[in-house]
Amino acid sequence: MGLEGKVKKVLEKYRGRDLSFTIKDGVVFLYGQVDTYDEWIEIGLEVGKIKGVEGVVNKVVWKGFPEEKIREKEERRRKIFEENKDKTVGSYDVLIIGGGVTGTAIARELSRYKLKVAIIEKSTDIATGTTKANNGMIHSGIEAPRNTLKRRLNVKGCRMYEQWARELNFKYKMVGSVWLITPRTLEKYRKYFPGPLYTLILKYVLPYVVVLKAWLNGVPGVKVVRGSKIFELEPYAARDTLAAVYVPWTGIVEPYEVAVALAENAAKNGVEIFTNTEVVGFLKDGERVTGVVTNRGTFLCRYVVNAAGLYADEIAEMAGSPEYTIHPRRGVIVLFHKTTGSYVRHCLAEIVLPQHPRTKGGGINPTPNGNVIWGPTAVEVPDKEDVSVDPEEVQLILTKYSTILSEFPKQKLIRYFAGVRAATFTEDFVIRPAKWVPNLLHVAGIQSPGLASAPAIAEYAIEKLAEMGLELQEKPEFDPYREPIPSLRDMKPSDIEELIKKDPRWGHVVCECELVTEAEIVEAVKRGARTLDAVKRRTRAGMGECQGGRCTIKIAMIISRELGVPLSQVLKEEAPLFNGYVRGESE
Ligand SMILES: Cc1cc2nc3c(=O)[nH]c(=O)nc-3n(C[C@H](O)[C@H](O)[C@H](O)COP(=O)(O)OP(=O)(O)OC[C@H]3O[C@@H](n4cnc5c(N)ncnc54)[C@H](O)[C@@H]3O)c2cc1C
């Protein structure tokens, strides 16, 4: 059966709905109306699963579709476009849209070559999209489905992290992961395996299925662990664990720190970074893009990389190559205080089958700075900016993952937050030249494990750019190293004394929870931080137990002083910290 027949067959299931479709170069365009958002998702996913479908553009609307909001957004973009299309900012070989881990990784990789490159980021800082709110796990690649690009790039990317961490000096720990097999693992199928057969399968068959999957996916060193060995590895693992699988290739990072390090190193090697710069349209000569229009003016260019995360579909459409729709998938994460770090040594998960088809199931993992995180959840949401946290989701996480550990001080919860995954309906990374714009590269659908895959994504993207005609001439002066902002937390007392003698600001602790000094905050501002959250990502000021309760105002005052802006204008991320004028400031 041809592609058309297969799509028709899927849509027949939704008889009674007003649905139609067209197909162009393997991309399926869906039209019509359904009742609910859930149905919209379901249809998109069903079509996305069809073999041979290279993308699903879901133009179907549901009851309550935010038509008016979309019209307003388009109108706003059109206005900015008209105002800025004739102002030229500069001329570039490659423009990268999006300053998340994907965009910054590609920029850093391109900075090895004699090219003029820029990152265009709409937000006030890099790493403010999905990159700032995720689990920070460098997955091994076992979980990724076979025959997907994300499996291939995940396995490769994971192995590349050690070198990245060495060169870019971000915190990275190869902690490994432990997957627990418990009586709950095959609960749904228990009725088919009566009596001891159930335990036998869990203890002696299932672990080797996981090892086999690891072998097939190219993940080495995976071992089955049983009995007391499990608790030697993970002392607080659930007492009823029957067997476990140990995966050495799993790392942990602070994801925003990786992107900041990449951006700093890219900038050191000549990449220009434009924050507060939103892409609103494209100038074209025939099929080719000649300029990217932003609120700052037009960036003339030879090649464009679309690494806009949740907005990659809108960028693709603006450029004239709509090939996929992003359906946002929110995940809530719960963060515990540093004192809980001693309860968890590895990234832990309880294998529960059947697994959720669209997440790797979540779990418990340590962070490089000693905290522990639980989660994430996976909920389809219509709004790309929906980072709300439903108390029920927090409760769900606390209940669901409690079975992984025999003991854990849950009262040490200090924060919960949500991130949003940029999923396409084909549920794989989309890294390919645009079908209808020859000098545009899509790097889209970078949902989990996008962070783990980032080094390999960058290499792969550059291979694609070379195939598209970009000439790559190495730059002998490329410097792969980047120095982090020194931190009091990592210093010997004698070094601290020396530093304070040279600069007393090293003796002024601003964030007591994370031991961050005025000198570190000033350095962060010097390196480009313009908001409270940007300072936080670079120094950890405000990330401790009090979550900024004691230091926020002090940090804001330092930012205000260093940037020469009134305190009332200091931003948290996008919005001002204060609601109006601050006492002592003239209006
Ligand atoms: C809850 C959760 C947990 C996760 N856990 C893990 C994990 O443990 N391990 C893992 O490997 N992956 C994980 N992921 C996935 C990972 O976070 C993403 O794959 C990765 O961060 C994607 O990075 P990105 O750069 O592609 O997107 P983003 O970080 O979203 O960057 C895209 C950027 O484009 C900018 N942009 C958008 N539109 C425009 C425009 N018009 N003009 C200019 N700029 C624009 C945005 O502002 C944004 O900064 C998780 C994701 C979630 C949500």
Side-chain angles (χ1 to χ4, degrees), residues 46-58:
E46 288 273 320
V47 173
K49 264 195 262 169
I50 298 171
K51 214 165 169 219
V53 168
E54 292 181 38
V56 179
V57 179
N58 196 345

Side-chain angles (χ1 to χ4, degrees), residues 533-587:
D533 284 356
V535 165
K536 184 170 163 179
R537 280 189 286 275
R538 285 161 181 79
T539 62
R540 295 190 61 76
M543 283 200 186
E545 186 172 11
C546 83
Q547 288 289 296
R550 289 193 290 257
C551 60
T552 296
I553 184 69
K554 294 187 226 164
I555 303 166
M557 285 166 83
I558 297 171
I559 297 174
S560 155
R561 183 192 72 206
E562 292 300 307
L563 295 179
V565 296
L567 193 54
S568 58
Q569 282 173 30
V570 172
L571 303 179
K572 187 177 180 303
E573 187 91 277
E574 306 285 339
L577 181 64
F578 302 101
N579 197 2
Y581 287 96
V582 172
R583 201 185 323 159
E585 250 177 43
S586 53
E587 291 199 14

Side-chain angles (χ1 to χ4, degrees), residues 324-576:
Y324 42 82
T325 296
I326 301 287
H327 56 100
R329 190 180 290 141
R330 189 187 58 199
V332 171
I333 294 170
V334 173
L335 176 80
F336 293 91
H337 187 258
K338 277 178 169 179
T339 47
T340 60
S342 55
Y343 286 82
V344 181
R345 292 183 183 170
H346 304 85
C347 295
L348 292 175
E350 185 180 31
I351 304 182
V352 177
L353 299 171
Q355 207 185 5
H356 190 288
R358 293 184 291 281
T359 77
K360 292 180 300 315
I364 292 179
N365 58 278
T367 74
N369 285 292
N371 300 80
V372 171
I373 51 184
W374 289 22
T377 52
V379 178
E380 302 287 349
V381 287
D383 184 355
K384 291 175 176 181
E385 300 292 331
D386 183 355
V387 286
S388 61
V389 177
D390 184 339
E392 274 180 28
E393 262 179 286
V394 175
Q395 198 48 53
L396 187 102
I397 291 174
L398 295 179
T399 311
K400 181 173 171 192
Y401 301 119
S402 284
T403 54
I404 294 178
L405 296 171
S406 59
E407 212 180 299
F408 189 84
K410 283 192 273 184
Q411 71 280 11
K412 298 272 183 185
L413 189 159
I414 56 174
R415 195 176 168 222
Y416 39 78
F417 56 93
V420 186
R421 306 165 181 90
T424 62
F425 288 110
T426 46
E427 296 287 341
D428 197 2
F429 296 163
V430 180
I431 308 176
R432 64 177 184 227
K435 287 177 184 281
W436 308 302
V437 179
N439 58 342
L440 169 71
L441 180 72
H442 295 299
V443 189
I446 310 298
Q447 52 167 300
S448 189
L451 175 70
S453 314
I457 290 177
E459 263 193 17
Y460 188 73
I462 276 130
E463 270 170 47
K464 293 286 149 201
L465 284 168
E467 284 166 26
M468 289 159 72
L470 179 72
E471 50 304 317
L472 301 172
Q473 220 185 324
E474 281 193 27
K475 217 160 58 184
E477 68 275 20
F478 171 74
D479 178 359
Y481 297 100
R482 169 254 178 194
E483 284 308 315
I485 298 176
S487 162
L488 216 60
R489 292 183 299 275
D490 306 326
M491 288 182 202
K492 292 191 287 213
S494 54
D495 292 345
I496 297 173
E497 256 174 58
E498 273 308 301
L499 269 178
I500 296 173
K501 267 189 220 151
K502 278 194 223 142
D503 181 349
R505 290 176 300 185
W506 279 101
H508 175 207
V509 173
V510 178
C511 167
E512 289 165 32
C513 303
E514 291 290 320
L515 214 64
V516 183
T517 63
E518 183 183 348
E520 288 157 69
I521 295 167
V522 169
E523 177 62 18
V525 174
K526 225 183 258 169
R527 290 184 184 212
R530 293 290 172 271
T531 66
L532 264 163
D533 284 356
V535 165
K536 184 170 163 179
R537 280 189 286 275
R538 285 161 181 79
T539 62
R540 295 190 61 76
M543 283 200 186
E545 186 172 11
C546 83
Q547 288 289 296
R550 289 193 290 257
C551 60
T552 296
I553 184 69
K554 294 187 226 164
I555 303 166
M557 285 166 83
I558 297 171
I559 297 174
S560 155
R561 183 192 72 206
E562 292 300 307
L563 295 179
V565 296
L567 193 54
S568 58
Q569 282 173 30
V570 172
L571 303 179
K572 187 177 180 303
E573 187 91 277
E574 306 285 339

